[in-house]
Amino acid sequence: MDGRDLVRSMKTVGSAGMAHGWRTVRAAWRGRRADAAALPPRGAERARVPGTMREVESGPGGGVVRFGRSELRVLVAVNGAVFWGWDGAGPEPSHALAGRCPEPDPRAVLEPDKDGGWRVVAERATVAVSRNGAVEVRTPGGVVLRRELPPRWWEPVDGGPARWTQRSEVAADARFFGLGGRSVGPRLRDGTYRLWNTGQGLPRAGGADAASVTMPVQMVVADAGTHLVFHDTSWDGTVALREGEEGAGSGHDRPGRSVLRMEGGPLRCWVMVGTPARVLLAWASLTGAPALPPAWALGHHHVRSGFGDEQDVRRVVAGHRERGLPLDAVHLGVGHADARQAFTVDEERFPKLPVLADELRREGVRLVSAVEPAVAAVPGGAVYDAGTRGGVFVPDAAGTVVRGVGRAGDVVFPDFTHARVRAWWGGLYEERLGQGFAGFWHDLDEPTSFTAFGEPTLPRSARHALEGGGGDHREAHNVYALGMARSAYEGLRALTADERPFVLSRSGWAGLQRYGGTWSGEVVAGWAGLRSSLARVLGLGLCGVPYSGTDVGGAEGSQSPELYLRWLQLAAHLPLLRTQGEPWEFGDEVLEHARVVLVERWRLLPYFVTLAHLARRTGAPYVRPLWWSAPEDRALRDCEDAFLLGDCLLVAPVLRPGADRRAVRLPRGCWYDVVTERAYEGPARVVVDAPPARIPVFARAGAVVPVRGEDGAPELEVWAPARGRTGGGLVVPDAGDGWVEPEIERYASRWEGRRVVVERSGEDGVSEPSCPVRVRGLAERSAPQM
């Protein structure tokens, strides 16, 4: 935080919050002084490279290659993932891994390669190590997907953590995706991206793309194949990307480049190779299966982020009911809690909250409570006093508890990198469960200040347990919210054993999917915010976090009726649908269109339930880029304004003002406009109507989509296969919000004469579908409907 940020902070808080603003400024300066004392300047540094290869030692799944000034450990795991670590770094300990490192693949061994190098040959990839320390990842056919040049370290002469740089090259035609939830993208073009979770997910000065969920995870897609690379260190750093350029027949291609610069931590890496689906399956087996949200969490959420009361909540719910707008959850922001007593609800504004929660639950509406990590430093507060006695709060380098600034003034922060602290904090959710809350969303968990410009509240020199390894906030910052999410998820599992927890985090890191999902934080309002919302959800899905979404309309500025409606139409096809502002505030026309959108989301809920179960079992995101099944299609790789919702639907949102038509890139196959039922044959670029009432949505020919019928009962919506072809789909029936794992139902669709036949296949052979079937896509065909 520099002087310019301080001025902007004071302008933000205004005169009414001037005293609070000055406390924020003082806290920031205290942090800077603490850092200056505990983290002196680095001073003179010594550069180091691996040197030349000296010897090789084979071992299970790979082995160790020793160089003059470093050594490289290579391991191929049984799930096909490849690990390598420099300077003796191993896969553990790791914040990202779910449990222990997978067992090594006994079939993979170190063997001599050309030019004096060595290689490890696995089923899906070959890893080759050159004599000077370059590492190549090749396809089984020998095509190079990625080449990591010898790394370079800068080590302080007087001791301390070394910063390092890893330069990599990819194919000239390759495209970069991932790095967490980025507002630019989903394709990451030339630029520098910081790996440091920040309070506001907005583009900053100089084009830097700040994000509340960052992670050093790249998915790289090229003609030769797809690979995911994860550099497992949580320290602050940057990734500079530059796409390659093909020689247009000259043969002189310029490769794509990635330059990773980290301020510390181990230099270790995981790589997965294969189709996008196979890559994310391996990633999920490594970092954990995505948590399965309760079915109600796949419906419509509405946010009350201000300082309302019980009557305000009743008014919002009644307003939705009176206007025929489906509503499944109401989120109460941090303002509903007593700022001076952590986990205690403000009883003046919510005197009978359990009664209200029970009434709403009977109507099918759940209450979700915002929780922040900051605890008011007020003696006499139950949480503060218990935490102080237990030594759970983050101290500085001198052992004194660090104080930041929150709504109630001075605040302290639990150390979620300590198992004992997580267990203690997880038990605190019992109080709000007793008030009737069904789920929780974590705010300000980067952690950042409640006021002003979202500046950090913990200095970099603050000390953390880091799972017993010890360290400071430079290493703990990016995984702080991950630990908080873990604490909540494990605590809720113990407190509500019969229901799946609902935990939503604003911030996080690799492995966040194990505990829940994420929301976008303060996305800028306006059409730029709408476009960034889609980019974030797509990017997070490719990093293994399938359940995410955005606040309709953004968090800053006013929304036009057109923008609100287009944002709602997009969000209704994202995993998390969360709205701010009521549709009736924008006039009767918007209200009517919004009703259609929300009813359609209600109708598609069984499909979202199926996608949630498949994500848990396979790691595949609900929302996928158009190239998901055809990464070799360059036209699809460059398409960023449409997406696939599972295998069955293609959604083309309107992302610019004033548009009533738009061009849509269709992948290979036959696609139906779900409104007109007109068929289009892909691959093609088509121009279709996009009136204010709807956005273009297409169904894949042959798809089997589970939906709700008009009476709310489940039914199958089957889109007729193209003549001479077959279709099908997977359906996972809703088994409630508990832990029952329902079986996957497999359906096939085909033409039989002039009718479409739909059959369910299983271990006992072919049978009739388990629910009514409605065949669509027959309008332009002479065949009668079933």
Side-chain angles (χ1 to χ4, degrees):
M1 183 178 190
D2 56 21
R4 186 182 306 170
D5 287 336
L6 293 179
V7 173
R8 297 175 72 176
S9 298
M10 297 311 301
K11 289 182 178 179
T12 302
V13 299
S15 57
M18 189 67 71
H20 204 77
W22 278 118
R23 284 198 296 269
T24 302
V25 172
R26 288 198 300 269
W29 281 116
R30 285 199 304 266
R32 294 189 65 177
R33 288 198 302 270
D35 287 347
L39 303 175
R42 299 183 66 92
E45 295 179 317
R46 180 187 300 110
R48 175 169 61 91
V49 295
T52 57
M53 186 183 297
R54 290 189 174 180
E55 60 179 352
V56 174
E57 179 183 338
S58 295
V64 176
V65 183
R66 294 186 175 88
F67 297 83
R69 290 178 289 277
S70 185
E71 67 178 31
L72 177 68
R73 182 190 305 272
V74 181
L75 167 71
V76 177
V78 291
N79 65 349
V82 179
F83 169 85
W84 65 78
W86 286 96
D87 286 352
E92 301 176 31
S94 170
H95 302 286
L97 267 59
R100 301 300 305 271
C101 172
E103 292 295 320
D105 186 344
R107 299 169 297 175
V109 295
L110 269 173
E111 62 184 35
D113 194 22
K114 60 184 180 180
D115 300 325
W118 288 75
R119 67 183 183 182
V120 180
V121 180
E123 179 181 358
R124 300 169 192 166
T126 296
V127 180
V129 183
S130 74
R131 296 179 66 241
N132 64 349
V135 180
E136 287 186 350
V137 180
R138 305 170 185 163
T139 67
V143 179
V144 177
L145 293 177
R146 187 180 192 91
R147 185 170 188 267
E148 302 232 335
L149 303 177
R152 183 181 294 269
W153 295 265
W154 283 267
E155 300 168 331
V157 173
D158 297 330
R163 57 190 180 95
W164 50 266
T165 296
Q166 177 66 73
R167 293 177 170 83
S168 309
E169 294 180 347
V170 296
D173 66 283
R175 298 289 181 262
F176 296 100
F177 300 86
L179 296 183
R182 299 289 171 172
S183 62
V184 297
R187 171 183 162 191
L188 301 177
R189 289 175 167 79
D190 297 1
T192 300
Y193 303 87
R194 190 179 180 190
L195 299 170
W196 186 258
N197 294 345
T198 57
Q200 292 186 319
L202 311 177
R204 298 291 181 90
D209 181 40
S212 55
V213 182
T214 70
M215 57 184 84
V217 178
Q218 299 176 26
M219 181 174 281
V220 184
V221 184
D223 288 353
T226 300
H227 71 274
L228 181 147
V229 59
F230 168 51
H231 289 91
D232 190 358
T233 176
S234 60
W235 283 65
D236 190 5
T238 61
V239 180
L241 301 178
R242 189 186 72 178
E243 291 183 346
E245 184 176 336
E246 294 181 289
S250 69
H252 297 289
D253 292 349
R254 187 192 74 190
R257 296 185 184 277
S258 168
V259 180
L260 178 64
R261 294 183 172 91
M262 302 301 294
E263 293 301 311
L267 203 174
R268 55 185 181 177
C269 178
W270 285 94
V271 174
M272 283 131 272
V273 177
T275 64
R278 188 182 290 273
V279 162
L280 284 184
L281 176 61
W283 177 244
S285 71
L286 187 69
T287 61
L292 186 65
W296 59 263
L298 297 168
H300 173 211
H301 303 237
H302 186 73
V303 181
R304 300 301 302 165
S305 55
F307 290 82
D309 55 17
E310 288 185 8
Q311 296 307 312
D312 184 51
V313 174
R314 294 180 189 275
R315 179 189 62 80
V316 169
V317 175
H320 282 78
R321 291 287 181 259
E322 292 167 1
R323 296 168 176 85
L325 303 175
L327 181 65
D328 297 273
V330 174
H331 291 221
L332 302 183
V334 293
H336 78 283
D338 186 336
R340 299 174 66 84
Q341 297 287 339
F343 282 94
T344 300
V345 173
D346 188 333
E347 296 184 355
E348 291 186 5
R349 290 182 293 117
F350 294 91
K352 298 180 179 179
L353 187 57
V355 175
L356 171 63
D358 186 60
E359 292 176 359
L360 295 182
R361 187 182 284 260
R362 288 198 297 269
E363 297 180 28
V365 179
R366 269 75 169 183
L367 286 181
V368 177
S369 174
V371 177
E372 56 181 319
V375 175
V378 179
V383 175
Y384 175 73
D385 287 350
T388 300
R389 290 193 299 270
V392 305
F393 299 123
V394 175
D396 60 19
T400 303
V401 172
V402 175
R403 294 199 175 196
V405 176
R407 292 180 297 129
D410 287 351
V411 294
V412 293
F413 296 88
D415 182 6
F416 294 117
T417 69
H418 196 300
R420 176 176 57 83
V421 177
R422 288 195 300 270
W424 169 76
W425 183 267
L428 298 179
Y429 288 79
E430 184 175 15
E431 180 172 343
R432 290 199 186 177
L433 287 173
Q435 294 289 329
F437 287 106
F440 301 89
W441 56 294
H442 293 168
D443 202 359
L444 304 172
D445 54 348
E446 285 79 11
T448 54
S449 172
F450 178 78
T451 62
F453 204 58
E455 65 273 7
T457 53
L458 288 173
R460 289 173 174 253
S461 57
R463 302 296 299 177
H464 294 267
L466 288 166
E467 313 304 336
D472 57 40
H473 196 63
R474 293 175 296 176
E475 182 179 356
H477 176 85
N478 283 337
V479 298
Y480 186 86
L482 179 70
M484 183 178 180
R486 178 180 179 181
S487 173
Y489 183 82
E490 293 176 348
L492 292 171
R493 284 208 62 171
L495 294 168
T496 57
D498 297 332
E499 294 185 14
R500 299 194 296 270
F502 177 71
V503 178
L504 200 63
S505 302
R506 186 168 85 170
S507 184
W509 201 64
L512 176 65
Q513 76 277 357
R514 298 193 294 265
Y515 314 118
T518 178
W519 58 287
S520 57
E522 287 83 356
V523 173
V524 64
W527 293 90
L530 173 60
R531 292 187 290 271
S532 74
S533 298
L534 175 56
R536 288 172 182 277
V537 174
L538 280 166
L540 285 166
L542 295 176
C543 290
V545 184
Y547 184 77
S548 67
T550 180
D551 286 348
V552 172
E556 294 183 356
S558 59
Q559 311 136 28
S560 68
E562 180 190 14
L563 174 61
Y564 179 87
L565 181 59
R566 293 305 195 188
W567 208 315
L568 179 63
Q569 290 167 341
L570 165 64
H573 295 90
L574 301 180
L576 171 65
L577 167 58
R578 211 171 85 146
T579 58
Q580 292 195 44
E582 290 78 30
W584 55 87
E585 296 176 350
F586 297 92
D588 292 340
E589 183 179 3
V590 170
L591 174 60
E592 183 60 33
H593 296 330
R595 183 182 298 112
V596 173
V597 173
L598 294 176
V599 169
E600 177 64 8
R601 173 64 176 236
W602 173 87
R603 192 180 77 91
L604 287 174
L605 186 66
Y607 185 50
F608 278 93
V609 169
T610 292
L611 295 179
H613 280 276
L614 294 179
R616 177 166 180 78
R617 300 185 191 198
T618 69
Y622 311 29
V623 171
R624 309 166 185 176
L626 292 187
W627 49 259
W628 177 257
S629 297
E632 72 282 353
D633 189 329
R634 295 190 179 190
L636 296 181
R637 288 210 298 259
D638 294 339
C639 183
E640 302 177 274
D641 61 355
F643 60 91
L644 298 173
L645 182 58
D647 287 330
C648 299
L649 301 179
L650 186 155
V651 182
V654 174
L655 304 176
R656 301 188 182 280
D660 58 5
R661 288 174 66 80
R662 63 152 292 173
V664 181
R665 176 73 62 178
L666 297 177
R668 185 177 301 278
C670 180
W671 297 86
Y672 293 99
D673 185 312
V674 298
V675 174
T676 67
E677 299 193 20
R678 178 179 175 181
Y680 298 87
E681 190 68 29
R685 182 178 181 271
V686 299
V687 178
V688 296
D689 291 334
R694 66 183 181 92
I695 58 176
V697 178
F698 298 85
R700 189 189 302 272
V704 178
V705 185
V707 297
R708 280 172 167 168
E710 293 184 0
D711 60 353
E715 67 177 35
L716 297 180
E717 184 173 84
V718 179
W719 291 88
R723 285 290 187 176
R725 305 177 191 172
T726 60
L730 304 176
V731 176
V732 183
D734 183 7
D737 294 335
W739 296 97
V740 175
E741 290 281 356
E743 293 185 3
I744 297 178
E745 299 178 356
R746 291 172 169 81
Y747 290 92
S749 60
R750 58 183 173 83
W751 283 97
E752 189 174 278
R754 295 172 59 82
R755 60 192 292 266
V756 173
V757 175
V758 181
E759 298 172 328
R760 178 182 175 183
S761 61
E763 295 181 357
D764 300 329
V766 176
S767 61
E768 293 293 323
S770 60
C771 57
V773 174
R774 184 164 64 101
V775 179
R776 300 186 63 185
L778 301 173
E780 296 186 0
R781 307 178 191 273
S782 58
Q785 184 172 338
M786 286 182 62

